[in-house]
Amino acid sequence: MSAWIMAAFMLTAAAGAVMVILYRNPVYSALSLVLTMFALSAIYVMMGAYFIAVAQALVYAGAIVVLFLFVIMLLNLRNQQALKESFGLRAAVGALLGALFIGVAGGTMWAVLSPDQFSKSAEVFKDEGHTESLARLLFKNNLVPFEAVSLILLAALIGVVVLIRFHGRPSSDNSEESNDA
Amino acid sequence: MTPELTYRLCLTLSAVLFAVGVAGVLIRRNAIVIFMCIELMLNAANLAFVTFSRHLGVLNGQAVVFFVMAVAAAEVAVGLAIIVTVFRTRASVNVDELKLLRR
């Protein structure tokens, strides 16, 4: 039973990913991306990675894709037809190469990873306190990377504000510099 | 479904997701959709990390996934800000029309 559910989620994730690149309207692409993210989140739940599953749903479906949709609608791209792409010969060749690449990568993963490589994976997670042990790993063993991530987020925050605030107005930049001087 | 089959299927799905992301970056010319495809590739790597973390019975892979998510969030914020900035200048997000970073 659970095997079929997991297979269904896998198919959903793959189909959503393909739809992301097939839809011409970027809003539909973003919604397909939500589908993929939620399917991956469900797969994480079924693999016992509960914290990662919740973080996936919150961060990707809740924040990142909403940011995508927000930007798409903020730019109001549909009115200008700026995003209507024509899928011509070049895209057909690209799709062919892409399908070939998908087949090669998937087939390699499937063929190379023979089951006996996984046969010694008898041990499974101790289910009690899974998130707790992950937190211990994050805050004890990986404390420095964790703090570095906070710095990265801060840098991204400042960078975005600088990009949006000071872009395209050289006169205002000059005036501010002159003010500083 | 045996665990071994689950791992194989998850890794295959991971490879497929990554390949779809690469194909999207190659095919599409809309900068926003290209960004979504980059997210797909990051998610494929995350799925591989979680699968191997589960398979090996250690949690380090999930810690890496946490960091990847944080960096992906920062990357999306900065990238979309750049796209908005480019759109203000060029009134287009078609990457074929963007040959210069300056006006």
Side-chain angles (χ1 to χ4, degrees), chain A residues 3 21 23 37 44 47 56 60 75 77 83 85-86 90 109-110 113 121 130 133 146 149 164 167, chain B residues 1 8 10-11 15 28-30 39 43 47 54-55 59 62 66 69-70 85 87-89 93 96:
Chain A
I21 65 172
Y23 274 126
M37 299 305 175
Y44 292 156
M47 293 180 74
Q56 172 90 8
Y60 276 106
L75 298 185
L77 293 162
L83 288 190
E85 300 179 21
S86 60
R90 199 181 63 170
M109 272 297 197
W110 178 258
L113 299 167
S121 68
H130 172 207
S133 46
F146 188 83
V149 159
I164 297 297
H167 160 73
Chain B
M1 196 187 293
R8 285 180 78 189
C10 278
L11 288 174
R28 297 304 299 262
R29 276 162 283 168
N30 180 348
E39 291 305 310
N43 269 283
L47 181 60
R54 174 83 180 167
H55 158 231
L59 281 171
Q62 299 191 20
F66 179 79
M69 278 183 185
T85 310
F87 184 79
R88 274 191 195 163
T89 312
V93 290
D96 277 350

Side-chain angles (χ1 to χ4, degrees), chain B residues 43-57:
Chain B
N43 269 283
N46 279 354
L47 181 60
F49 269 124
V50 170
T51 307
F52 278 115
S53 158
R54 174 83 180 167
H55 158 231
L56 297 172

Side-chain angles (χ1 to χ4, degrees), chain A residues 101-102 105-107 109-110, chain B residues 10-20 44 47:
Chain A
F101 185 36
I102 291 168
M109 272 297 197
W110 178 258
Chain B
C10 278
L11 288 174
T12 308
L13 175 65
S14 163
V16 167
L17 284 183
F18 193 92
V20 169
L47 181 60

